[in-house]
Amino acid sequence: MVRLRFLGHSAWLIEGERVKLVIDPFITGNPLAPVSADELSVDYVIVTHAHSDHTGDAERIARRCSATIVANNELANFFGFSGLKNHPMHIGGSVSFPDGLFVKLFPAFHGSAIIKNKQVLSLGLPTGVLIGLEGKYIYHAGDTGLFSDMKLVGRRNPVDVALLPIGGNFTMDEVDAATAAEFIHPKYAIPMHYNTFEVIKADPKQFVENLPEDIEGVIINPGEIFELKG
Ligand code: NI
Ligand code: MN
């Protein structure tokens, strides 16, 4: 069984029998986070892009857990400068780790820069991530607008669960995200990246109502777990 625990915003703890990972672990400073970053125990930290509401506690968690950071080449190397274990890859590339974790990077239409002290440090392209474990495939779209090549995400590996941003302003809104789900065609579509801040207020029910009939929309509150049974 694969368990997905929503940690608020775009952060998810994903656990199989052999592999534990967290993706986009923005915990500290995330008003919806149900845990502290120090409670998580993982083998991998996957980061979709360099924005602080996605990199979040990646360094802190990876260091404490001796976890491997998986991200685009520039961002992974950036974490490597701090002495962290990392696996750089890039869009279109996939990797199968010895413990059974599969990761493939897909495009996202967004940015991937760190902005600090009036400096912009650009760290590669933003990504969506297809995660495979125990025969299940989970697509985390990262931050992105709607684009029609999402139709290709499930072409080789049909998607069980799509995690999609719905908050608007920086990403798709509820209606565009429902169209994204139509393109990806997962069994289950779960909204994320909304209501963390005022500017990304959204109604997850509107997302679910706009989904095609053969895709089940599931609203998971921060702290709750979605179980994907084999
Ligand atoms: Ni972003
Ligand atoms: Mn974001």
Side-chain angles (χ1 to χ4, degrees), residues 49 51 53-54 110 143:
H49 64 288
H51 290 162
D53 60 319
H54 296 258
H110 194 66
D143 279 356

Side-chain angles (χ1 to χ4, degrees), residues 26-33 57 60 196-197:
F26 168 50
I27 313 290
T28 306
N30 172 357
L32 302 179
D57 298 287
R60 177 169 160 186
T196 323
F197 310 109

Side-chain angles (χ1 to χ4, degrees), residues 96-141:
S96 294
F97 291 101
D99 55 16
L101 176 68
F102 170 90
V103 179
K104 183 170 182 177
L105 297 189
F106 282 88
F109 282 87
H110 194 66
S112 182
I114 289 175
I115 302 170
K116 214 175 178 177
N117 305 327
K118 295 188 184 171
Q119 302 276 345
V120 178
L121 179 61
S122 189
L123 289 168
L125 292 170
T127 61
V129 182
L130 184 66
I131 297 163
L133 69 168
E134 296 177 21
K136 302 291 185 195
Y137 288 92
I138 300 152
Y139 173 64
H140 184 295

Side-chain angles (χ1 to χ4, degrees), residues 28-64:
T28 306
N30 172 357
L32 302 179
V35 293
S36 97
D38 292 334
E39 290 170 59
L40 300 172
S41 165
V42 294
D43 310 301
Y44 300 88
V45 179
I46 301 177
V47 185
T48 60
H49 64 288
H51 290 162
S52 57
D53 60 319
H54 296 258
T55 55
D57 298 287
E59 177 171 348
R60 177 169 160 186
I61 295 167
R63 193 176 302 285
R64 183 177 46 79

Side-chain angles (χ1 to χ4, degrees), residues 52 70 72 80 109 135 171 200 204 211 219:
S52 57
V70 181
N72 83 46
F109 282 87
T171 69
I200 56 169
L211 289 171
I219 297 168

